[in-house]
Amino acid sequence: MNDKRVVFDFNISFTNGGGIQGQDFRLDIAGDTITDQQLADYIVNDMQLLMVGKIDILNKYYINEKHKRQPVNILPNDKYIDLSHTIFDGLVTYKGLPSPIVCDYLSREQSRANYEPGTEFQIGKIEMVTNTGTYIDCPFHRFEHGKDLSEIELERFAGLEAITINAENITRIDESFFTGLEIRNKAVLVHTGWAKHWNTPQYFDGHPYLTANAAGHLKDCGVKLVGIDSHNIDDTAGKSRPVHTTLLGAEILIVEHLCNLDKLPASGYQFNAVPPKFKGAGTFPVRAYASFDTSN
């Protein structure tokens, strides 16, 4: 079967005046379709245009034709990969902790009394513990005098050079998974495959975890953050939490309950997991994601 291409016209206006047009423009695409916004972004980036205003994509259709060059990575999931679970009303993240309550504080119907006809708003109300969904731990979570979310520098949460460790179908993940790798000053994300059990009873029992020796090795190597797509980075069978103790004691951040780690390469991307700037909180949900440089 021939490769897929998109054929389209475009009009581009510039904010400082003038414009350019293109007719019967053909572009190799990796999938079966592409949005107008993706095409607009591609034209701007590939032609290195500046001061771009409105872009109209016209007369778009698809053909099967052999690609003339390697496909260009321009789809959103080539630049960003979402690594977070969705939080919803009633979600059980950790057995024994209350589920979040997500509801209206001001409903759209109620708001109509405050605004002119056709104008309405919703103001939401959320009640939850901070260990909900995909969340990040900082030292205050484990240590009374450790840094809380408001005291951790922003660069510790975002733009971290990252590496993916493949530990799929492994329960006890020891230091051997991290030896011989360049991990200093990086975010280390451990892919166990356990995220497939998310929001099921199986998620809480027999989950993969890091050993105390693995945590010690990561500390000695000076990593910046450790993430895992499992119920807990520690073995919860007992009452000790040596991985939390070791990593957070060294101000190495922890992200638990990740997902989609199977979509990540071994390296060559950045990890981002930024929480709100709360004082007096050591844990909070994040929108964790991987980002890629698609400029080349």
Side-chain angles (χ1 to χ4, degrees), residues 53-251:
K54 184 180 179 183
I55 301 179
D56 293 314
I57 302 297
L58 308 168
N59 306 319
K60 183 175 69 175
Y61 64 95
Y62 302 96
I63 60 174
N64 290 322
E65 187 175 78
K66 190 67 177 177
H67 284 183
K68 306 303 181 185
R69 60 175 177 174
Q70 289 299 108
V72 179
N73 293 325
I74 58 175
L75 301 181
N77 63 357
D78 284 335
K79 188 173 183 181
Y80 302 111
I81 294 179
D82 195 337
L83 307 178
S84 301
H85 290 290
T86 299
I87 297 173
F88 54 87
D89 182 71
L91 169 70
V92 179
T93 299
Y94 204 101
K95 269 199 303 189
L97 294 179
S99 300
I101 299 172
V102 184
C103 60
D104 289 339
Y105 174 76
L106 177 71
S107 71
R108 299 185 188 279
E109 292 76 13
Q110 293 169 331
S111 78
R112 292 170 188 164
N114 302 328
Y115 305 99
E116 65 182 29
T119 302
E120 60 185 33
F121 296 93
Q122 186 264 4
I123 298 177
K125 179 181 178 180
I126 300 174
E127 181 180 325
M128 68 178 188
V129 296
T130 55
N131 290 52
T132 297
T134 302
Y135 55 77
I136 195 162
D137 294 341
C138 64
F140 185 75
H141 177 53
R142 172 65 180 81
F143 299 100
E144 179 181 1
H145 300 294
K147 290 181 179 180
D148 64 21
L149 293 170
S150 70
E151 296 171 314
I152 300 294
E153 301 84 355
L154 186 59
E155 58 265 26
R156 299 289 303 279
F157 298 119
L160 302 174
E161 293 298 324
I163 184 171
T164 310
I165 303 297
N166 184 9
E168 192 169 10
N169 301 319
I170 304 296
T171 301
R172 187 177 181 274
I173 302 165
D174 61 24
E175 65 272 26
S176 66
F177 284 85
F178 310 98
T179 57
L181 300 176
E182 182 54 60
I183 57 177
R184 184 169 298 277
N185 292 324
K186 292 185 178 180
V188 178
L189 305 186
V190 183
H191 169 225
T192 71
W194 201 250
K196 65 186 176 184
H197 301 303
W198 175 255
N199 201 31
T200 72
Q202 187 174 347
Y203 188 72
F204 308 109
D205 300 319
H207 66 86
Y209 61 89
L210 269 60
T211 66
N213 287 339
H217 178 75
L218 292 167
K219 173 187 174 182
D220 292 342
C221 289
V223 305
K224 288 188 175 181
L225 179 150
V226 183
I228 193 168
D229 57 349
S230 177
H231 174 53
N232 200 299
I233 202 168
D234 265 301
D235 181 5
T236 59
K239 294 186 177 182
S240 65
R241 298 292 186 268
V243 179
H244 280 83
T245 299
T246 298
L247 296 182
L248 296 180
E251 297 193 354

